Amino acid sequence: MSYEPPTPPANLPTEIVNTLNESDPEQLRDVATYAEALAEHKERKTRLEEESDDADIEDRPDDLPDDVPTKATITIKEINDNRYYYWQWREGDKIKSKYKGPVNPDE
């Protein structure tokens, strides 16, 4: 009976495959344990960085009303030849707006 070795993932570099093929079972188990721990560490680090980036976004502008989410952007609407600022954001499939004030013509 002949045993075939497992096929390595296609995206694994050849030098890593060769090193693994030359390793004994104990080293391979150590590599597997280390690789899993390293993957978890890198995923956790990425999550923490993303959460940190999200926290920066959560800083509310001073003029943002309490009932307007931080993800809102300012848009300009023209009504009867007058221009007005509105806070605008999405809630599900709907776009919500809240009046901010008139556009200063000197801007």
Side-chain angles (χ1 to χ4, degrees), residues 20 33 37 40 49 54 61 72 88 98:
L20 293 174
T33 301
E40 288 176 12
E49 288 171 354
D54 290 346
Q88 199 167 60
K98 180 170 176 117

Side-chain angles (χ1 to χ4, degrees), residues 11-26:
N11 63 344
L12 207 55
T14 304
E15 57 271 11
I16 292 176
V17 172
N18 291 340
T19 300
L20 293 174
N21 284 334
E22 295 167 1
S23 301
D24 63 44
E26 185 178 346

Side-chain angles (χ1 to χ4, degrees), residues 23-35:
S23 301
D24 63 44
E26 185 178 346
Q27 288 174 320
L28 289 171
R29 293 195 198 295
D30 289 343
V31 167
T33 301
Y34 172 70

